[in-house]
Amino acid sequence: MLFEEFDPLKGEMLQILDKNGNIVNDKLVPKIKKETLMKMYKTMVLGRIADVKAVQFQRQGRMLTYAPNHGQEAAQLGSIAAMDDDDWLVLAFRELNAMLYKGVTLEQSYLYWYGNEMGSKYDENVKVLPINVPIGSQINHAAGIAYASKLKGTKEVTIAYIGDGGTSHGEFHEGMSFAAAYDLPMIVVIQNNQWAISTPRKKAIKSKTLAQKAIGYGIPGIQVDGNDPLAMYLAVEKARERASKGEGPTLIEAVTYRMGPHTTSDNPKLYREDKEVDEWAKKDPLIRFKKYLIDKKYWSNKKDEELQEASKKEVLEAFKKVEKTGLVDLEDIFKYTYEKLTPNLKKQLNAYKEYLNEEGAK
Amino acid sequence: MLFEEFDPLKGEMLQILDKNGNIVNDKLVPKIKKETLMKMYKTMVLGRIADVKAVQFQRQGRMLTYAPNHGQEAAQLGSIAAMDDDDWLVLAFRELNAMLYKGVTLEQSYLYWYGNEMGSKYDENVKVLPINVPIGSQINHAAGIAYASKLKGTKEVTIAYIGDGGTSHGEFHEGMSFAAAYDLPMIVVIQNNQWAISTPRKKAIKSKTLAQKAIGYGIPGIQVDGNDPLAMYLAVEKARERASKGEGPTLIEAVTYRMGPHTTSDNPKLYREDKEVDEWAKKDPLIRFKKYLIDKKYWSNKKDEELQEASKKEVLEAFKKVEKTGLVDLEDIFKYTYEKLTPNLKKQLNAYKEYLNEEGAK
Amino acid sequence: MAVKTILQAINEALDQSMEKDDSVVVYGEDVGFEGGVFRTTAGLQKKYGEGRVFDTPIAEAAIVGSAIGMAVNGLKPVVELQFSGFSLPGYNQVVTHAARFRNRSRGKYNLPMVVRMPYGGGVRALEHHSESLETLYAHIPGLKLVIPSTPYDAKGLMMAAINDPDPVIFMEPKRIYRAFKQDIPEEPYEVEIGKARIVKEGKDVTIIAWGALVREVEKAMKQVTDIDAEIIDLRTIAPMDTETIVNSIKKTGRVLIVHEAYKSFGPAAEIISRINEEAFYYLEAAPKRLTGFDVTIPLPKGEHHFIIDPKQIAYELKKLMAEKA
Amino acid sequence: MAVKTILQAINEALDQSMEKDDSVVVYGEDVGFEGGVFRTTAGLQKKYGEGRVFDTPIAEAAIVGSAIGMAVNGLKPVVELQFSGFSLPGYNQVVTHAARFRNRSRGKYNLPMVVRMPYGGGVRALEHHSESLETLYAHIPGLKLVIPSTPYDAKGLMMAAINDPDPVIFMEPKRIYRAFKQDIPEEPYEVEIGKARIVKEGKDVTIIAWGALVREVEKAMKQVTDIDAEIIDLRTIAPMDTETIVNSIKKTGRVLIVHEAYKSFGPAAEIISRINEEAFYYLEAAPKRLTGFDVTIPLPKGEHHFIIDPKQIAYELKKLMAEKA
Ligand SMILES: Cc1ncc(C[n+]2csc(CCOP(=O)(O)OP(=O)(O)O)c2C)c(N)n1
Ligand SMILES: Cc1ncc(C[n+]2csc(CCOP(=O)(O)OP(=O)(O)O)c2C)c(N)n1
Ligand SMILES: [Mg+2]
Ligand SMILES: [Mg+2]
């Protein structure tokens, strides 16, 4: 129904909450528990602060590098909140908010961007794959996870994220085709943030929408206002229903914007106009979500100030812990290559230790 | 116009000549010169005989291996005939008819399947890429050729072929996306012959048509009766017009059938019913094309008998020449690795010659 | 015991592994209904159903990448890439992910998965159907690369590979899929990954080979009765059993390495380097390699130049024995 | 003459090649408008237009595959893969096509194309941004693999690569993109592909390196003043300049090979094997390799363990000199 109504070829994007926080599509407002809404909002505030701070830390030379997701919070939180606890989350790399919502700690996230593999060792029960740098390849992992869920007869659904640029990659195509062929319980959210590093989505991709790529796979696709947490929630809720019923994957294009640089090594001034950024600033998901919650009497400005303070503290503390971690142990760079150290690796490790013994640390 | 009328989502396949050779869509009959029609037909007859014979030769242990294209002649000839002499042809591997039409000699084709690289050294002015075994990868070559044509400002258009199975490959996706992004003068013909070795198209691919994959790339797609040479001609003619005007690539799904085995090493009895093959036999492109030409008074049964005889002779002579070629020279396996033999290769070649001198041929 | 070819031995290993362990799944192009273009997986879909044994779209990145996802989510996938020459579109998944998930997640996610691929020449095939690409897999930390040369090892190594907690690349010497039979145990058994096999002890020279070439070496040694060669079947290319190699060289002082992979930057180079590192002062002659030339493996009408035969092995061996330090 | 970094030298080589020859085109992810994430192609789009210098979708198979098509159709494409770790999705095109078009078509189609990729560690980067994958390209017949270590060579080798009738993989040592400057000719010039450079003559021992590690070797040798080492910068990994290496070994009798690529099945193994084949009886000590460990190159907080520094080179060198046959 929803996917027919918002067939991407009809050219209408799903929006429920407009940029000012007003409901524009009353009959579509999804039923979301207060508790869930508040978790979404609190994560959004924490995520935003953590994001802004990470860039600052990096500028101070204290954080290695970072890929900001400022502006894309609703695309992530609206979608992840519609998933079950038992579902799988498959990341690209710009999904801090989705990660936090799903149980990855801020400390772990920071540790990763600090340059330590330990930052990808999420807690045992956290069903999240590590950040995936090779563009597009995560979609195939998601398909495999979903295949296993289906074969085992569990209720798990897998949600995976990818960027607009990533949809041109062969890996995306193969994963989508594979998932479609077996009607796998999988949802793919394209975070169309308009840019792939310096390359505008409009130039790199000919199709009018990214959602319509779904048609090529014979599955539903929908274009959603990615800065609207309610619209994102609804689309994913419906996609999850399909998945649960064995009807296969859904492709969701979240139209959003990357407010910051691609990563802290990138200078967007080289390739885009401030004007464009300013336009998108007005569509900030945080503004409209807060207004919506206040209108609903779930929230107040006063509470918000407290939350801001608490979140700031949390961020600073997480980073403090990360900064205490220092360097990785020598053994650790060997230990996880195979389950057991091979004789060859033992030799290499020992030879190097001998060198350190004789010559002192590097 | 044509591509809007036959939008793949409308579910109608373009057909002009039905399986009995009757015109079913009068107003769409393309204007094709008699000379062209006759070249198409003669190639089809030669191609059919060459195909059937190749399988026989292989069964006799005289041909190495062969991938029959019996049944798919119209898909190839209808499309290639709508191209200009100056256009480029990019092959998958099951396009004997298209190759012959475009100036590859039967002897060269046979020599390839006989197991000799010389069979891919087409004459200088023949703008055809060698047979391409890694599924899907040729689409990227086609995109590159088309890019060069566009940059140089020539009138060349590139036509590339791929199988139904190949459309699931990442290479197909990347090539299509790339060509679409720059509006390249390129036409891709999917020979949907219903099978990828033992895997039915219906099981491997979820989308209702393959033509609709075009929508994902933001380009026109059309499903065509691939056993109808006139429909194929029309679709490609229109696609070529688009390409020439700088409007970019078109995706054409030719619905056809692989009458023979995948290759001579394959036994289709293991995976498909004779009944299905029999049904498709009734749709043989040769039957309907011949009837059409006779109806048009371009052809007669008597002339056809002569042509059959002449073609048979041509096939046997070509193969006779191929059988005389024997083994490849030792130098030839070294000589084309780089423009010049490297010192390393010289050493390897000389050491081996020394061995042959001392011990005699293997 | 039952008399089996390598092909049948692999089929039995898959069958018994699936029987014992519900989490084993087997898939790839044409692997399901038809049982593979070589029929290695014949009968499995009928027995275990379409869920556990299935055909895929032609998409090697999806085949390998989905296996990674399945392994993360509790399955033990055994996937087939139709020929090693077609493993390359899946190579990104193997290198950037399969080899690294354990390390990336600091042990949270390990990947018990097997990637099977028929490899090697001598079967008079089309382009891309004859490659020996050991180096590409052996060079990557985190992968194991296993190649059997007998039915006994084929079954035992395959069962070990399926039970291995790390990703295993399993190259199958298609030239000898059906070339000969061997009496092998009917019950399940494992052959340890990482251990070479001494095919024949000897004192004059060490010959190292694997896959289809082990037999060619054996044939050669029937012609050269005056040399007492120690023949080692490497079986696992990575991680390599350096110890067995080095011990042998310490005894013989001479070594000939035979493989069909391209010579330069090929597997023999690594073996020679390890011998240099650990047994250099035992060497009585320069280590020798007899390998594929550094040219694209030719189509069948030129392939005889490329393929290594027993006569050539014998010739190189005699030259090696004649060399003196 | 003008003082330039490696990065500027490459930019100049591209610029002058494009200026001279209309058929040269330059493209890749973020290569056009921005001029590349490292800014190696900065200014070129402005000068030569969007047709000849352009941004692509994120699709490495399309980047390499389209370059093949362009080369067939009269252009000389110079493509960038953003990091060598991201070259793998395009690897199928490189191996199954770029390396083989000439041979497949028996000389009808040759491919004058260059595939550029920044490579190597030591830049404190994310995963997949630090790989040294020389082996994967050097092992494949039909490819040339070139790596400069100085601005002079960077310009000259790049111009030679663009004019080369065969496909050239051009790995750029990103760690030293901007590390130092050199006075290089302003006019176009070529440095011959396939020839090593003797950085410094010496008689005691041969040290072989390339890319960023040449400088580390030079630094090490400033610490070890009592050893007269001959330093060879390989420059072309394939086809390798065996002659220069062998001549050096015949003089020194000892060799240390230094590279950041993984050790096993790495480039040093091939060098050692060639030395074994052609200069074995001149060796006074076992050849030594100082390389990356056989583990995934670590993220920055562990990378210092992996990266080779001058102190380590000096240490290995002293050990090598102390060895006696
Ligand atoms: C296979 C591959 N090629 C290139 C890169 C380098 N790279 C990192 S991010 C990026 C752009 C991604 O754009 P998009 O998919 O839109 O995601 P976004 O960064 O906007 O979130 C590129 C090209 C990579 N990580 N992987
Ligand atoms: C990358 C790659 N994977 C696997 C193969 C093996 N293979 C050869 S043909 C084929 C099936 C092709 O099916 P389709 O694309 O429908 O073409 P058809 O054979 O029907 O003409 C396969 C899987 C290959 N050639 N290349
Ligand atoms: Mg983006
Ligand atoms: Mg087909």
Side-chain angles (χ1 to χ4, degrees):
Chain A
M1 270 291 294
L2 183 78
F3 299 116
E4 277 147 35
E5 198 180 330
F6 288 88
D7 179 328
L9 296 183
K10 290 192 192 151
E12 209 192 326
M13 177 173 85
L14 174 66
Q15 191 189 54
I16 296 172
L17 207 56
D18 76 4
K19 66 176 176 182
N20 301 316
N22 300 318
I23 301 283
V24 291
N25 207 329
D26 218 7
K27 66 180 197 312
L28 286 183
V29 177
K31 289 195 186 69
I32 312 180
K33 276 188 271 178
K34 178 178 176 188
E35 180 194 327
T36 303
L37 281 169
M38 289 322 304
K39 183 176 170 190
M40 287 164 70
Y41 183 71
K42 285 176 181 170
T43 309
M44 200 182 281
V45 169
L46 180 67
R48 173 68 57 90
I49 295 171
D51 202 90
V52 172
K53 276 286 166 197
V55 176
Q56 282 176 15
F57 295 143
Q58 200 280 339
R59 301 282 180 240
Q60 295 161 0
R62 296 160 68 194
M63 182 73 110
L64 193 79
T65 181
Y66 182 71
N69 69 158
H70 181 162
Q72 304 180 207
E73 292 91 346
Q76 296 169 40
L77 291 167
S79 49
I80 195 72
M83 302 298 289
D84 273 12
D85 282 353
D86 218 36
D87 290 340
W88 282 91
L89 166 57
V90 177
L91 302 167
F93 51 90
R94 197 187 296 287
E95 288 86 28
L96 175 67
N97 283 271
M99 292 166 83
L100 293 174
Y101 192 93
K102 189 78 184 143
V104 175
T105 67
L106 181 56
E107 194 185 330
Q108 284 161 342
S109 268
Y110 271 180
L111 188 57
Y112 172 83
W113 294 107
Y114 197 65
N116 189 325
E117 287 85 352
M118 266 299 181
S120 294
K121 188 180 184 172
Y122 314 141
D123 298 350
E124 201 49 56
N125 61 337
V126 171
K127 292 163 82 173
V128 181
L129 288 203
I131 279 182
N132 184 87
V133 178
I135 300 286
S137 54
Q138 73 276 18
I139 304 303
N140 282 311
H141 306 158
I145 292 177
Y147 191 98
S149 302
K150 183 174 176 170
L151 182 66
K152 294 189 289 181
T154 67
K155 294 259 161 260
E156 301 162 353
V157 176
T158 298
I159 187 167
Y161 292 83
I162 189 167
D164 48 303
T167 63
S168 300
H169 208 278
E171 296 259 3
F172 166 77
H173 180 69
E174 295 201 1
M176 294 306 299
S177 304
F178 189 95
Y182 310 107
D183 295 324
L184 299 184
M186 170 167 128
I187 299 164
V188 173
V189 174
I190 304 169
Q191 291 199 71
N192 173 6
N193 64 6
Q194 314 306 328
W195 292 91
I197 311 186
S198 71
T199 307
R201 168 259 175 275
K202 283 267 150 64
K203 277 202 134 172
I205 304 168
K206 178 76 178 179
S207 65
K208 213 165 152 200
T209 68
L210 303 181
Q212 77 197 59
K213 291 182 184 291
I215 298 167
Y217 305 115
I219 62 170
I222 187 171
Q223 196 180 51
V224 182
D225 180 346
N227 287 8
D228 172 357
L230 304 188
M232 283 303 298
Y233 188 99
L234 178 69
V236 172
E237 188 180 43
K238 296 294 169 200
R240 200 185 175 288
E241 271 169 36
R242 290 191 70 248
S244 299
K245 283 191 269 175
E247 292 171 7
T250 307
L251 184 65
I252 296 171
E253 175 187 1
V255 178
T256 180
Y257 196 76
R258 188 193 82 210
M259 297 299 293
H262 170 69
T263 67
T264 45
S265 341
D266 173 56
N267 175 11
K269 302 250 178 226
L270 284 174
Y271 54 80
R272 72 183 188 188
E273 310 264 323
D274 286 346
K275 214 178 61 190
E276 182 182 293
V277 183
D278 296 342
E279 274 313 305
W280 277 94
K282 295 179 196 150
K283 303 185 196 165
D284 189 331
L286 204 47
I287 298 173
R288 70 178 91 168
F289 197 23
K290 180 174 152 194
K291 165 131 188 329
Y292 174 70
L293 295 175
I294 290 176
D295 285 355
K296 253 184 120 67
K297 312 264 189 274
Y298 285 179
W299 199 240
S300 69
N301 276 318
K302 185 163 168 298
K303 281 193 194 149
D304 205 63
E305 273 161 37
E306 287 163 19
L307 177 66
Q308 298 278 351
E309 271 320 298
S311 301
K312 220 169 276 175
K313 238 175 97 182
E314 194 179 336
V315 166
L316 294 176
E317 264 158 32
F319 189 62
K320 204 184 281 172
K321 282 194 204 147
V322 166
E323 274 196 316
K324 283 206 188 111
T325 55
L327 295 176
V328 165
D329 285 347
L330 174 60
E331 262 83 2
D332 273 9
I333 79 162
F334 282 86
K335 210 159 64 181
Y336 301 100
T337 305
Y338 301 99
E339 194 190 42
K340 295 196 196 101
L341 266 192
T342 61
N344 172 47
L345 285 177
K346 265 186 219 156
K347 258 179 240 168
Q348 293 185 11
L349 177 58
N350 288 338
Y352 187 67
K353 280 188 184 162
E354 203 182 301
Y355 160 72
L356 293 178
N357 270 342
E358 290 180 32
E359 304 282 318
K362 267 187 188 173
Chain B
M1 268 290 293
L2 183 78
F3 299 116
E4 278 148 34
E5 197 180 331
F6 288 87
D7 180 327
L9 295 183
K10 290 192 192 152
E12 209 192 325
M13 178 173 85
L14 173 66
Q15 193 189 52
I16 295 174
L17 208 53
D18 74 7
K19 66 178 175 182
N20 301 315
N22 300 318
I23 300 284
V24 293
N25 208 330
D26 216 9
K27 66 179 198 310
L28 285 183
V29 177
K31 287 197 189 65
I32 311 180
K33 275 188 272 178
K34 179 178 173 189
E35 180 192 327
T36 303
L37 281 169
M38 290 322 303
K39 182 176 171 189
M40 287 163 70
Y41 183 70
K42 286 175 182 171
T43 308
M44 200 182 280
V45 169
L46 180 68
R48 172 68 58 88
I49 295 171
D51 202 88
V52 172
K53 277 287 166 196
V55 175
Q56 282 176 16
F57 296 142
Q58 202 280 340
R59 301 286 180 237
Q60 295 162 1
R62 297 160 68 194
M63 182 74 111
L64 193 80
T65 181
Y66 182 71
N69 70 159
H70 181 161
Q72 303 180 210
E73 292 92 346
Q76 296 169 41
L77 291 167
S79 50
I80 196 72
M83 302 297 289
D84 272 12
D85 282 352
D86 218 35
D87 290 341
W88 282 90
L89 165 58
V90 176
L91 302 168
F93 52 88
R94 198 186 296 288
E95 288 88 26
L96 176 66
N97 282 271
M99 292 166 84
L100 293 174
Y101 192 94
K102 189 76 184 147
V104 174
T105 68
L106 181 56
E107 194 185 330
Q108 284 161 342
S109 268
Y110 270 0
L111 188 58
Y112 172 83
W113 294 108
Y114 197 64
N116 188 326
E117 287 84 353
M118 267 300 179
S120 293
K121 189 179 184 175
Y122 315 140
D123 300 350
E124 200 48 59
N125 60 337
V126 171
K127 292 163 84 174
V128 181
L129 288 203
I131 279 183
N132 184 88
V133 178
I135 301 284
S137 54
Q138 72 275 18
I139 305 302
N140 282 311
H141 306 158
I145 293 177
Y147 191 98
S149 301
K150 184 173 175 170
L151 182 65
K152 293 189 290 180
T154 67
K155 294 259 163 260
E156 302 162 352
V157 176
T158 298
I159 187 165
Y161 292 83
I162 189 167
D164 48 303
T167 63
S168 299
H169 208 278
E171 295 259 5
F172 166 79
H173 180 69
E174 295 200 1
M176 294 306 301
S177 305
F178 190 95
Y182 308 108
D183 295 324
L184 300 184
M186 169 167 128
I187 299 164
V188 172
V189 174
I190 304 169
Q191 290 199 72
N192 173 7
N193 63 6
Q194 314 305 328
W195 292 90
I197 310 187
S198 70
T199 306
R201 168 257 176 276
K202 283 267 150 64
K203 275 203 134 171
I205 304 167
K206 178 77 177 177
S207 66
K208 213 166 150 201
T209 67
L210 303 181
Q212 78 196 60
K213 291 184 184 289
I215 299 167
Y217 305 114
I219 61 170
I222 188 170
Q223 199 181 48
V224 182
D225 179 347
N227 288 8
D228 171 358
L230 303 188
M232 284 302 299
Y233 188 100
L234 178 70
V236 172
E237 187 180 43
K238 295 295 170 201
R240 200 183 176 287
E241 271 170 38
R242 290 191 70 247
S244 298
K245 282 190 269 175
E247 293 171 7
T250 307
L251 184 65
I252 296 172
E253 175 187 2
V255 178
T256 181
Y257 196 75
R258 189 193 80 211
M259 296 299 294
H262 171 70
T263 67
T264 46
S265 342
D266 174 53
N267 175 11
K269 303 252 177 224
L270 284 173
Y271 53 79
R272 73 182 185 187
E273 311 264 323
D274 286 346
K275 213 177 63 190
E276 183 182 294
V277 183
D278 296 343
E279 275 311 306
W280 277 93
K282 296 179 195 149
K283 302 184 196 164
D284 189 332
L286 204 46
I287 298 174
R288 70 178 90 168
F289 197 24
K290 181 175 152 196
K291 163 125 189 335
Y292 174 70
L293 295 175
I294 290 177
D295 286 355
K296 251 183 122 65
K297 310 264 188 276
Y298 285 0
W299 199 240
S300 69
N301 275 319
K302 183 161 170 297
K303 280 193 196 150
D304 205 62
E305 273 161 38
E306 287 163 20
L307 177 65
Q308 297 279 349
E309 271 319 297
S311 301
K312 220 169 276 171
K313 238 174 97 180
E314 194 178 337
V315 166
L316 293 176
E317 264 159 31
F319 189 61
K320 203 184 281 173
K321 282 195 204 146
V322 166
E323 273 197 317
K324 283 208 188 108
T325 55
L327 296 174
V328 165
D329 285 347
L330 173 60
E331 262 83 2
D332 273 10
I333 80 163
F334 281 85
K335 210 158 65 182
Y336 301 100
T337 305
Y338 301 98
E339 194 191 42
K340 294 198 195 99
L341 266 192
T342 61
N344 171 47
L345 285 177
K346 266 186 219 156
K347 260 180 238 166
Q348 293 185 11
L349 177 58
N350 289 336
Y352 187 67
K353 280 187 185 165
E354 204 182 301
Y355 159 72
L356 291 178
N357 270 342
E358 290 181 31
E359 303 283 319
K362 265 189 191 173
Chain C
M1 305 287 275
V3 170
K4 299 237 138 108
T5 61
I6 287 181
L7 195 103
Q8 291 164 334
I10 293 171
N11 183 273
E12 185 167 272
L14 296 171
D15 187 2
Q16 294 181 350
S17 299
M18 294 193 80
E19 176 114 48
K20 201 182 61 189
D21 184 348
D22 273 356
S23 65
V24 178
V25 293
V26 167
Y27 62 99
E29 295 154 17
D30 306 295
V31 157
F33 192 82
E34 187 189 25
V37 293
F38 287 103
R39 324 236 350 97
T40 327
T41 54
L44 299 178
Q45 187 178 73
K46 232 179 181 159
K47 194 158 167 193
Y48 300 104
E50 271 197 63
R52 290 180 64 200
V53 184
F54 60 100
D55 294 319
T56 63
I58 305 172
E60 288 78 13
I63 294 172
V64 178
S66 65
I68 290 168
M70 291 189 203
V72 161
N73 199 8
L75 300 185
K76 291 184 182 164
V78 183
V79 301
E80 174 178 304
L81 301 179
Q82 208 158 68
F83 288 84
S84 71
F86 305 134
S87 70
L88 300 173
Y91 191 62
N92 182 47
Q93 283 286 353
V94 172
V95 176
T96 67
H97 295 306
R100 291 172 173 228
F101 251 60
R102 179 191 290 281
N103 185 63
R104 178 181 302 152
S105 68
R106 283 295 183 253
K108 182 173 179 191
Y109 295 119
N110 66 321
L111 300 179
M113 60 184 271
V114 181
V115 180
R116 298 177 41 233
M117 52 180 94
Y119 91 106
V123 297
R124 301 169 52 75
L126 288 179
E127 210 194 351
H128 308 294
H129 289 69
S130 302
E131 277 68 17
S132 294
L133 302 178
E134 295 95 309
T135 298
L136 306 189
Y137 293 96
H139 182 51
I140 305 300
L143 300 179
K144 297 179 177 177
L145 172 57
V146 170
I147 303 180
S149 76
T150 65
Y152 181 87
D153 283 355
K155 178 173 172 185
L157 286 168
M158 179 57 82
M159 298 204 80
I162 294 172
N163 290 325
D164 200 285
D166 288 306
V168 178
I169 310 296
F170 201 94
M171 289 192 182
E172 302 174 2
K174 60 171 137 22
R175 173 148 59 130
I176 54 169
Y177 258 154
R178 299 182 170 93
F180 61 99
K181 295 193 171 193
Q182 190 182 9
D183 216 6
I184 66 171
E186 280 174 72
E187 59 276 11
Y189 62 92
E190 288 191 15
V191 169
E192 191 181 343
I193 292 175
K195 291 276 176 263
R197 174 173 71 98
I198 298 182
V199 178
K200 172 191 161 300
E201 299 208 13
K203 59 179 188 353
D204 297 342
V205 58
T206 303
I207 309 178
I208 302 173
W210 54 87
L213 286 167
V214 173
R215 281 192 95 213
E216 303 304 299
V217 170
E218 289 180 281
K219 284 185 213 159
M221 292 319 296
K222 285 196 186 116
Q223 298 170 21
V224 195
T225 47
D226 55 334
I227 301 173
D228 182 19
E230 177 141 312
I231 304 175
I232 295 178
D233 172 2
L234 203 51
R235 293 201 295 202
T236 299
I237 313 303
M240 197 186 283
D241 183 357
T242 319
E243 197 184 339
T244 296
I245 295 171
V246 166
N247 286 341
S248 182
I249 304 308
K250 285 186 178 167
K251 186 165 69 169
T252 64
R254 289 171 200 261
V255 61
L256 172 69
I257 304 149
V258 187
H259 65 60
E260 205 174 282
Y262 304 126
K263 183 175 203 168
S264 290
F265 302 87
E270 178 60 25
I271 299 171
I272 290 175
S273 296
R274 291 192 184 205
I275 292 170
N276 272 241
E277 281 162 353
E278 304 200 18
F280 182 73
Y281 300 101
Y282 294 85
L283 283 172
E284 290 163 24
K288 240 191 176 357
R289 36 184 182 169
L290 172 59
T291 69
F293 302 125
D294 286 326
V295 306
T296 298
I297 181 165
L299 290 185
K301 292 294 180 242
E303 202 188 12
H304 61 292
H305 297 306
F306 190 96
I307 294 296
I308 294 159
D309 69 8
K311 206 164 124 185
Q312 243 175 317
I313 297 169
Y315 171 82
E316 291 297 336
L317 200 65
K318 280 183 223 157
K319 275 182 43 177
L320 173 59
M321 294 312 297
E323 231 183 87
K324 44 178 169 277
Chain D
M1 305 287 275
V3 170
K4 297 236 138 103
T5 61
I6 287 181
L7 195 103
Q8 292 164 334
I10 293 171
N11 183 273
E12 185 166 273
L14 295 171
D15 187 1
Q16 294 181 350
S17 300
M18 295 193 78
E19 175 114 47
K20 202 182 58 189
D21 183 349
D22 273 356
S23 65
V24 179
V25 295
V26 168
Y27 64 98
E29 294 154 16
D30 306 296
V31 158
F33 193 84
E34 189 188 27
V37 292
F38 287 102
R39 324 237 347 96
T40 327
T41 53
L44 298 178
Q45 186 177 73
K46 230 176 183 164
K47 195 158 166 194
Y48 300 103
E50 270 196 62
R52 291 181 64 198
V53 185
F54 60 99
D55 294 321
T56 64
I58 305 172
E60 288 79 12
I63 294 172
V64 178
S66 65
I68 291 169
M70 291 188 202
V72 160
N73 200 6
L75 300 185
K76 292 185 182 164
V78 183
V79 301
E80 174 177 303
L81 301 180
Q82 208 159 66
F83 288 84
S84 72
F86 304 134
S87 70
L88 300 174
Y91 191 62
N92 181 48
Q93 283 286 354
V94 172
V95 176
T96 67
H97 295 305
R100 291 172 172 229
F101 251 61
R102 178 191 291 280
N103 185 63
R104 177 181 302 151
S105 68
R106 283 295 184 254
K108 180 172 179 191
Y109 295 119
N110 66 321
L111 300 179
M113 57 184 273
V114 181
V115 181
R116 298 176 42 234
M117 51 180 93
Y119 91 106
V123 297
R124 300 169 50 76
L126 288 178
E127 209 193 351
H128 309 293
H129 289 69
S130 302
E131 278 67 17
S132 295
L133 302 178
E134 295 94 309
T135 297
L136 305 189
Y137 293 96
H139 181 50
I140 306 300
L143 300 178
K144 296 178 177 177
L145 171 57
V146 170
I147 303 180
S149 76
T150 65
Y152 181 86
D153 284 353
K155 178 172 172 185
L157 286 168
M158 179 58 82
M159 298 203 79
I162 294 172
N163 291 324
D164 199 284
D166 289 305
V168 177
I169 310 296
F170 200 94
M171 289 193 180
E172 301 173 2
K174 62 172 130 33
R175 173 147 59 131
I176 54 169
Y177 258 156
R178 298 183 170 93
F180 61 99
K181 295 192 173 194
Q182 191 182 7
D183 217 5
I184 65 172
E186 280 175 71
E187 59 277 11
Y189 62 92
E190 288 191 16
V191 169
E192 191 182 344
I193 292 175
K195 292 275 174 263
R197 176 173 69 99
I198 298 180
V199 178
K200 173 192 160 302
E201 299 206 11
K203 59 177 187 352
D204 297 341
V205 57
T206 303
I207 309 178
I208 302 171
W210 54 87
L213 286 167
V214 173
R215 281 192 97 211
E216 303 305 299
V217 170
E218 289 179 282
K219 285 186 213 157
M221 293 319 295
K222 289 201 182 108
Q223 298 170 20
V224 195
T225 46
D226 54 335
I227 301 172
D228 183 19
E230 178 141 311
I231 304 175
I232 295 177
D233 173 1
L234 204 50
R235 293 202 294 201
T236 298
I237 313 303
M240 196 186 284
D241 183 357
T242 318
E243 196 184 342
T244 297
I245 296 171
V246 166
N247 286 343
S248 182
I249 304 309
K250 285 185 178 169
K251 186 166 67 171
T252 64
R254 288 171 200 261
V255 62
L256 173 69
I257 303 148
V258 188
H259 64 61
E260 206 173 281
Y262 303 128
K263 182 174 202 170
S264 290
F265 302 86
E270 179 60 25
I271 299 171
I272 290 175
S273 297
R274 293 192 182 205
I275 293 169
N276 272 240
E277 282 162 353
E278 305 199 17
F280 183 71
Y281 301 102
Y282 294 85
L283 283 172
E284 289 163 26
K288 240 190 176 1
R289 36 183 184 171
L290 172 59
T291 69
F293 303 124
D294 286 325
V295 306
T296 298
I297 181 164
L299 290 185
K301 292 295 181 238
E303 202 188 11
H304 60 293
H305 297 304
F306 190 96
I307 293 297
I308 295 159
D309 69 8
K311 205 165 125 188
Q312 243 175 314
I313 296 168
Y315 171 81
E316 292 298 335
L317 201 63
K318 280 182 221 153
K319 273 183 42 178
L320 172 59
M321 295 313 297
E323 230 182 90
K324 47 178 166 278

